Amino acid sequence: MNTQYQPKPVRLLWEAEPDSGWTDDYFDGLLVRDNGALYYYEGNPWLAVVEPTETAGLYRIDGADLQLTSKKPLKEIFRMLSGMSALDYLLKVMPDVMMPDEMPI
């Protein structure tokens, strides 16, 4: 069972693949677990698997993310997800399984 996890504001880095023509992007987010964060992209909340960088407070999006269909603020989504034991499982399997394009919460 999880202990009460407190929301921690962080900066998230999405790194573009070399030679892709894309540029790196940065987002403000909330850390929901040591390896998971919520952030907004194009008006929608996303849950991403993250890893810390060498810069304090900056986390790298580590490949897997999932759009959440909700219009609630990130702190409210955090409160909803933080008590779910399934959140740890979801963050563990997101990189390895085919996830839906979005998930209503």
Side-chain angles (χ1 to χ4, degrees):
M1 206 55 149
N2 296 317
T3 59
Q4 186 66 15
Y5 200 91
Q6 297 299 313
K8 177 182 172 185
V10 293
R11 261 323 247 166
L12 301 173
L13 165 63
W14 176 82
E15 288 182 315
E17 293 289 325
D19 301 321
S20 68
W22 295 86
T23 58
D24 293 351
D25 213 346
Y26 292 86
F27 304 94
D28 293 318
L30 289 176
L31 207 59
V32 295
R33 293 290 191 271
D34 292 334
N35 67 330
L38 291 168
Y39 68 101
Y40 276 109
Y41 175 66
E42 295 184 347
N44 295 302
W46 290 75
L47 175 65
V49 174
V50 298
E51 62 183 10
T53 67
E54 293 177 4
T55 304
L58 180 65
Y59 286 74
R60 178 179 301 104
I61 296 175
D62 192 25
D65 58 3
L66 175 64
Q67 182 179 345
L68 306 174
T69 52
S70 176
K71 295 299 179 196
K72 297 178 181 185
L74 286 185
K75 284 190 177 182
E76 191 170 331
I77 295 171
F78 171 87
R79 281 191 290 277
M80 290 170 38
L81 294 178
S82 66
M84 295 174 60
S85 58
L87 177 60
D88 293 310
Y89 179 73
L90 181 61
L91 288 168
K92 184 175 183 176
V93 301
M94 277 174 58
D96 300 317
V97 298
M98 178 67 85
M99 298 299 293
D101 290 335
E102 60 186 38
M103 179 172 33
I105 58 166

